[in-house]
Amino acid sequence: MTETVTPATVRSPSAPAALGGPGLFTVLLAAALPLVDFFIVNIALPTIGTDLHAGEAVLELVVAGYGVAYAVLLVLGGRLGDLFGRRRLFLGGMAAFGLTSLACGLAPGAWSLVAARVAQGASAAAMLPQVLATIQAATSGGRRAKAMSLYGATAGLSMVAGQILGGVLVAADIAGTGWRSVFLVNVPVVLVGLLLGARFVPETRSQRPEPVDGPGTVLLALSLLTLLVPLTEGRAAGWPLWTWLSLAAFPGVAVAFYAVERRADRAGRTPLVPPSLFALTSLRRGLVLMLPFSVGFSGFMFVIAVALQSGEHMDPVPAGLALAPMAVVFLFVSLAGPRLIARYGSRVVSAGSVLQAVGLVLVVLAAQRDWPHLDFTALLPGVAIAGAGQALQLPNVLRLVMSEVPPARAGVGSGVMVTTQQSALALGVATLGTLFLSLVPHQGMRDALVTTLLVQLGLVVLTGLLSLRLPRTVG
């Protein structure tokens, strides 16, 4: 498939935008920030609850408010980048992310923290789609393949590193900031990112930008809200009537969204999520696989954080560092990903599913054998092997999803992909987290953990089966 490179608006019309090494580092730094912040809070929640006198339902909103706002606005963020320039949205979103992180770190109460987290999620939604869209529009050939592999590795490593970093920062209590440092740490990182972005990230935009799809934006937001909000808040709120009404409304709103988007697509307009985009086999099958993978990944991270702190009574640092082997192995295996995928194609993803399943089985056996003394040593073999499996899956699936998306639709494609990933991450915390916390009073912490991990194992098996349908070669 031959693709053209979108011209940079800051250069002459005939000169292609080029994303060099410093520019790639900058956009990958920006890609890490929102994912780190999604997971960094898991370890800090007990401390936040104690300090701000917040109940369980409000603490879940600290997580859900960020995740839902982020997921709801991602596709719109991609469209706005296509329309107004991706570099402009990138820098504006990053600046807003820094300001809202500061607001989170200075929040005087629980509800002000929730509000700041919602704003932080919206800022991330403006920034993150521009990362993938810029890579897609400002690179080509082998450089693009390498950049996409690095993006995938960054995404996976950020999710694990966020939880580890949260434990370290809370325990360090830098200048008496306690849990607030998990948000304040973003501010200097954002300042560095803004300086680098202004100098090294080229401006790109769609050559034929379309206006914002108002009806599609509203219906997509309603679809995600009617699904994610009741699932994340239902258990803590006691499953009141509004949660069931919201879930019942979800299928109807989702069908209405699809109908509106299909009508716009057939009329020659560019809807928020063009159904014609799903004609790309690699994108369609990659997104389907990403759903169970991300649900299982985020559910695992949440459940392990709760089990180690509430069940094993670990302090934040050992609870976070228990996953350090997963992060280290993920990093080194993901670096080998481009060579493996070039030689073996998408079968690397299938092999990753097998490894992740083996790792989960070892974690389950460790929990059954060593509880209530489940520690770093007991978890090490399982989380290390699971990390290797995830490293063979996530970076390669992300690369495959975008492999056939033309640069003109880079913003739309990246928005759809990241929305799918983020919605699934939020869904994983809501579903597996709810299952785990609901089982604890009846089965005890150990058996609830084992049951939840076995459910995740089923999701890993599903990803393995779905990986067999992926295109053999990855562009």
Side-chain angles (χ1 to χ4, degrees), residues 415-454:
V416 170
M417 188 186 79
V418 181
T419 297
T420 302
Q421 182 189 29
Q422 182 60 38
S423 300
L425 290 175
L427 196 59
V429 173
T431 53
L432 294 184
T434 295
L435 172 66
F436 171 70
L437 294 173
S438 299
L439 291 175
V440 168
H442 308 289
Q443 296 187 0
M445 188 73 71
R446 188 199 72 171
D447 290 346
L449 173 62
V450 168
T451 300
T452 307
L453 291 178
L454 290 175

Side-chain angles (χ1 to χ4, degrees), residues 2-24:
T2 302
E3 297 177 348
T4 56
V5 180
T6 303
T9 58
V10 295
R11 301 182 181 186
S12 65
S14 61
L19 185 66
L24 179 60

